[in-house]
Amino acid sequence: MTTAPVPSPRPSTVTGLICRECGSTYPKAPIHVCEMCFGPLEIAYDYAAIGKVLTRALIESRPYNMWRYAELLPLDGPPVVGTQTGMTPLVKADRLAKRLGVREVWIKNDSVSHPTLSFKDRVVSVAVSKAIEFGIGTVACASTGNLANATAAQAAAAGLPAVILIPFDLEPAKVLATSVYGARVVGVKGTYDDVNRLCSEIAGKYGWGFVNVNLRPFYAEGSKSFGYEIAEQLGWRTPANIVVPMAGGSLVTKIGKAFGELEKLGLLAAGGNRKTKIHGAQAAGCSPIVDMVLENRDQVKPVKTPTSIAKSLAIGNPADGFYARSTITGSGGHAGKPNDDEIVAAMRLLAETEGIFTETAGGVTLGATIKLIQEGRIGKDEGPLVVCITGNGMKTQDPLVGKLPAPELIGPSLADFDRLQTSVQ
Ligand SMILES: *Cc1c(COP(=O)(O)O)cnc(C)c1O
Ligand SMILES: [Zn+2]
């Protein structure tokens, strides 16, 4: 592996912002809503210019992190934070495959993401670097937990103050792993959707850079790197099936976009476009996007009170629900919603077969995968199946407490140990 740096300064590949609904265009700015139709804004790229410079060989010559795809990410200069984020392992999961009865299974493992052990490091690397390009002095976010960790860490690394708003009843480990970075943490007595609404008002009034509110068009593009990496790690081929956890529905949408861009730019190997079926996963206790797929609806029916142990996915009114559902159904994919027992069982199955300890969100993804296989939505011989593992189990230990065997207790003597061995034989 060589390490040719990303050329810098390089001409920006971003032409501005464009409304996903009406196509109105805007100059680059920390804005996220169209003034004409209130549709969400998205980054507009000069794909013709990108196509002239970006090749598989050039990408492969660069350092092993998400910035090897810099031309497809919305910064005008080199990143300031998160320079080592991305290129997490794609693990061939043969023991898990055998248990699932599927020939070829891969785990994309963002539970070991740098620096805060979830895929949110990718989106925050982009958003905080962009906030600095915009000259914004304070960064902030509304979070279900992992985004809080990532924003607080990267703000600290950039030397910027951070204000983090979370639902008051988040897992203690996720609160602690936010406060430790010196961020101001505000617990809001309400659901994530209440927090999010409040953040829109604060963003308008205080001029802060909310990574997932006014910086959202830039932030969301960071998720594409998850998709690019999977294709590159499979030898510049997209998988036959991919199962993606959904909260606001951004990651699943951007994986679809990433595969489409690689195809459009001619970056896939010959025959490398497998027309991936993209499947979505949510917990049964909060499944607004999965229900849109199952009930064949294109309107979100918000969930008022999420009840699942998978708090990082517990967004009752998902901002990208419409686009997530159309990404899934347009690809020929489907959706699944395991209950809390199935989530815990899947967390244990992944740990016991592959040695990967994921948070509850990972249990949701694998639990949904199991259902989709049982229902015949994912065939046993269709080609590579990628299961997206997006967060680390050390952050959500509570659901496992009391469910695993306690350590066997002995005195510090060989006789005691021998007695144990005799009793298990
Ligand atoms: C935020 C999050 C997701 C998905 O987020 P989207 O809002 O759908 O992009 C998936 N897994 C984990 C662990 C997360 O924290
Ligand atoms: Zn518009």
Side-chain angles (χ1 to χ4, degrees):
M1 187 183 76
T2 53
T3 53
V6 176
S8 162
R10 58 179 171 82
S12 176
T13 52
V14 177
T15 57
L17 295 163
I18 182 165
C19 174
R20 271 201 276 195
E21 290 302 319
C22 75
S24 296
T25 57
Y26 298 83
K28 287 171 227 178
I31 51 172
H32 69 300
V33 182
C34 176
E35 284 169 14
M36 303 297 162
C37 75
F38 301 106
L41 299 182
E42 185 164 50
I43 306 298
Y45 293 91
D46 183 350
Y47 285 110
I50 296 171
K52 284 198 194 109
V53 295
L54 199 60
T55 61
R56 293 201 294 266
L58 177 62
I59 294 167
E60 286 166 358
S61 73
R62 289 175 174 168
Y64 216 59
N65 61 58
M66 65 185 273
W67 300 103
R68 61 210 267 115
Y69 315 101
E71 286 85 350
L72 291 162
L73 296 170
L75 297 187
D76 291 340
V80 178
V81 293
T83 57
Q84 306 289 325
T85 297
M87 260 334 212
T88 54
L90 183 75
V91 180
K92 183 109 188 296
D94 289 338
R95 282 169 42 76
L96 177 64
K98 198 172 257 179
R99 290 285 290 275
L100 299 180
V102 171
R103 177 145 4 140
E104 188 180 341
V105 179
W106 300 80
I107 301 295
K108 177 59 173 171
N109 189 11
D110 264 22
S111 74
V112 293
S113 170
H114 173 80
T116 67
L117 309 178
S118 92
F119 107 95
K120 291 297 197 303
D121 291 323
R122 299 172 182 276
V123 285
V124 170
S125 296
V126 174
V128 173
S129 292
K130 194 68 207 178
I132 292 165
E133 284 188 1
F134 281 135
I136 288 170
T138 297
V139 292
C141 69
S143 175
T144 56
N146 284 316
L147 186 59
N149 298 170
T151 304
Q154 308 246 31
L160 290 177
V163 184
I164 312 288
L165 290 98
I166 52 173
F168 71 106
D169 60 349
L170 221 53
E171 297 97 336
K174 284 194 175 152
V175 179
L176 186 146
T178 305
S179 314
V180 70
Y181 301 110
R184 246 177 88 196
V185 182
V186 181
V188 177
K189 293 180 205 154
T191 63
Y192 173 79
D193 294 301
D194 297 322
V195 177
N196 197 40
R197 206 173 317 115
L198 174 61
C199 285
S200 296
E201 294 177 49
I202 297 172
K205 180 161 179 186
Y206 288 82
W208 295 338
F210 275 84
V211 300
N212 58 338
V213 182
N214 49 344
L215 292 168
R216 189 173 179 88
F218 301 91
Y219 155 99
E221 289 289 288
S223 287
K224 293 192 305 183
S225 63
F226 194 90
Y228 302 142
E229 291 174 14
I230 290 169
E232 181 179 350
Q233 289 167 316
L234 287 173
W236 296 105
R237 290 179 160 77
T238 58
N241 287 280
I242 186 167
V243 187
V244 187
M246 303 185 293
S250 178
L251 175 62
V252 72
T253 310
K254 295 296 178 172
I255 287 175
K257 181 176 180 186
F259 291 168
E261 287 176 333
L262 293 180
E263 166 72 8
K264 181 160 69 178
L265 291 165
L267 291 169
L268 296 174
N273 181 6
R274 289 200 180 88
K275 301 263 179 277
T276 310
K277 282 190 279 174
I278 301 175
H279 307 273
Q282 290 189 304
C286 184
S287 56
I289 306 175
V290 169
D291 291 342
M292 291 168 77
V293 176
L294 300 186
E295 295 163 19
N296 201 20
R297 265 192 282 120
D298 62 8
Q299 299 288 318
V300 177
K301 216 185 271 171
V303 172
K304 292 246 159 53
T305 29
T307 53
S308 169
I309 54 172
K311 292 182 195 282
S312 59
L313 301 181
I315 296 186
N317 191 6
D320 290 297
F322 173 84
Y323 302 102
R325 183 250 181 191
S326 66
T327 295
I328 292 167
T329 53
S331 76
H334 201 64
K337 47 170 184 177
N339 64 31
D340 285 352
D341 287 342
E342 292 165 328
I343 292 167
V344 170
M347 290 167 74
R348 294 183 65 177
L349 178 65
L350 183 62
E352 289 171 13
T353 54
E354 297 297 333
I356 294 172
F357 183 20
T358 183
E359 65 158 78
T360 45
V364 170
T365 312
L366 183 55
T369 304
I370 292 169
K371 286 183 183 296
L372 291 162
I373 294 166
Q374 285 166 352
E375 294 164 4
R377 299 276 178 181
I378 295 175
K380 312 211 160 192
D381 282 317
E382 286 178 4
L385 160 63
V386 173
V387 181
C388 301
I389 296 302
T390 47
N392 193 293
M394 297 302 282
K395 296 195 202 183
T396 61
Q397 298 183 40
D398 274 4
L400 292 172
V401 171
K403 299 218 163 90
L404 303 174
E408 303 164 81
L409 203 58
I410 58 169
S413 77
L414 185 58
D416 267 22
F417 188 76
D418 286 344
R419 209 169 303 125
L420 262 180
Q421 284 304 90
T422 326
S423 69
V424 295
Q425 269 154 24

